């Protein structure tokens, strides 16, 4: 099976812009989670989607949003970008059961100038 | 915020030596997982240990879990240069978790030939 894919791999934006990141899970995986990784805060959970519904959300401002499509592909959007949003954004997919191992994509490296 | 601490923050050893990393966490868990990350790339799942298990093995990996102390350790035996990476423990909370993982700060392991 193909692994989790994320596009784009690298992105440069300026403050105030918005950005959309895409994630395609492993075939058959219906749960998609998003994480932000920064040197200062480490790996932090953003949100998780299952069957097009957000089941869980981390402690991030409303500028961070996401959605999941009927084919389980997911997108996350960050509006009004701030310098502190520069990070590696990782997507992970897992089987529908809760608390399973997660399979991570290579990440999208976002730089905000 | 992160669930807990990992110790040590960095570890440097020679090929063939064993590497031990420790992880502490704060809340009750469903399971604890270990992941590896090579130089800013995606995370690779190594092993999952459930809260009712005390020890688990996978190849050269041995994981222990002490729920009374809220701690876990990862032992890599006979280390190789290819084991050079960052290692993260991640906990799946007992309540309200779905597929949310809470990561530690990680241990950077360097294995020298």
């Amino acid at each position: 099976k193909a692994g989790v894919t994320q596009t784009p791999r690298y992105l440069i934006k300026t403050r105030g812009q918005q950005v959309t990141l895409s994630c395609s899970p492993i075939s058959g995986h219906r749960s998609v989670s998003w994480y932000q990784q920064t040197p200062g805060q480490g790996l932090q959970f953003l949100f998780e989607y299952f069957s097009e519904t957000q089941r869980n959300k981390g402690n991030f401002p409303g500028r961070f949003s996401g959605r999941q499509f009927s084919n389980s592909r997911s997108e996350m959007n960050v509006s009004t970008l701030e310098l502190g949003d520069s990070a590696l954004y990782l997507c992970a997919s897992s089987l529908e059961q809760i608390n399973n191992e997660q399979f991570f994509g290579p990440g999208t490296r976002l730089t905000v100038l | 915020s992160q669930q807990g601490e990992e110790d040590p923050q960095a570890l440097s050893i020679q090929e063939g030596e064993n590497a031990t990393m420790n992880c502490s966490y704060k809340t009750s868990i469903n399971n604890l997982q270990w992941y590896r990350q090579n130089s800013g790339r995606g995370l690779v799942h190594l092993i999952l240990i459930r809260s009712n298990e005390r020890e688990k093995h996978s190849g050269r990996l041995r994981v222990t879990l002490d729920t009374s102390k809220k701690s876990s350790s990862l032992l890599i035996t006979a280390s190789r240069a290819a084991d050079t990476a960052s290692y993260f423990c991640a906990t799946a909370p007992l309540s309200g978790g779905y597929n949310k993982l809470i990561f530690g700060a990680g241990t950077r392991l360097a294995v020298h030939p």
Side-chain angles (χ1 to χ4, degrees):
Chain A
K1 283 184 180 179
V4 177
T5 58
Q6 292 187 245
T7 56
R9 293 291 312 279
Y10 301 91
L11 206 48
I12 300 175
K13 292 284 188 180
T14 56
R15 279 180 298 174
Q17 288 186 311
Q18 74 166 17
V19 66
T20 299
L21 312 181
S22 181
C23 171
S24 293
I26 291 172
S27 177
H29 285 192
R30 296 168 63 189
S31 169
V32 174
S33 300
W34 288 89
Y35 295 84
Q36 181 197 64
Q37 185 176 27
T38 60
Q41 297 299 315
L43 280 152
Q44 296 189 86
F45 172 80
L46 280 157
F47 27 65
E48 187 253 3
Y49 286 88
F50 176 78
S51 289
E52 303 178 64
T53 300
Q54 186 182 89
R55 291 198 299 190
N56 214 338
K57 189 177 190 304
N59 295 324
F60 279 83
R63 299 185 298 107
F64 291 82
S65 63
R67 60 177 175 168
Q68 187 181 34
F69 302 95
S70 58
N71 62 357
S72 295
R73 190 177 70 86
S74 177
E75 289 181 348
M76 67 162 282
N77 183 278
V78 187
S79 62
T80 318
L81 284 165
E82 300 177 358
L83 295 179
D85 297 333
S86 294
L88 181 67
Y89 289 89
L90 293 162
C91 163
S93 74
S94 59
L95 292 172
E96 59 189 271
Q97 296 92 336
I98 62 172
N99 298 321
N100 257 12
E101 65 180 289
Q102 296 191 20
F103 297 84
F104 283 80
T108 294
R109 173 78 60 187
L110 171 65
T111 301
V112 182
L113 302 176
Chain B
S1 62
Q2 289 156 355
Q3 164 76 290
E5 304 283 328
E6 289 189 58
D7 168 49
Q9 290 185 339
L11 183 59
S12 181
I13 60 174
Q14 299 294 126
E15 263 191 332
E17 294 181 340
N18 294 343
T20 300
M21 289 160 260
N22 302 298
C23 165
S24 62
Y25 57 92
K26 296 176 182 174
T27 61
S28 297
I29 62 171
N30 178 285
N31 65 62
L32 185 144
Q33 303 176 33
W34 286 89
Y35 288 83
R36 183 187 75 223
Q37 184 178 38
N38 288 85
S39 191
R41 298 182 183 178
L43 281 75
V44 174
H45 183 267
L46 296 175
I47 197 165
L48 181 154
I49 186 165
R50 303 193 185 284
S51 59
N52 61 353
E53 297 176 309
R54 292 296 166 258
E55 188 171 312
K56 204 161 183 180
H57 297 254
S58 176
R60 294 184 295 112
L61 306 180
R62 172 179 170 256
V63 169
T64 62
L65 178 65
D66 187 334
T67 53
S68 66
K69 295 181 180 178
K70 291 187 168 59
S71 67
S72 173
S73 68
L74 171 67
L75 168 67
I76 304 174
T77 60
S79 296
R80 306 164 182 168
D83 295 328
T84 294
S86 291
Y87 291 81
F88 295 89
C89 69
T91 52
L94 189 60
S95 63
Y98 292 107
N99 284 315
K100 170 182 180 177
L101 291 176
I102 302 175
F103 284 86
T107 294
R108 293 189 312 278
L109 173 65
V111 182
H112 303 283

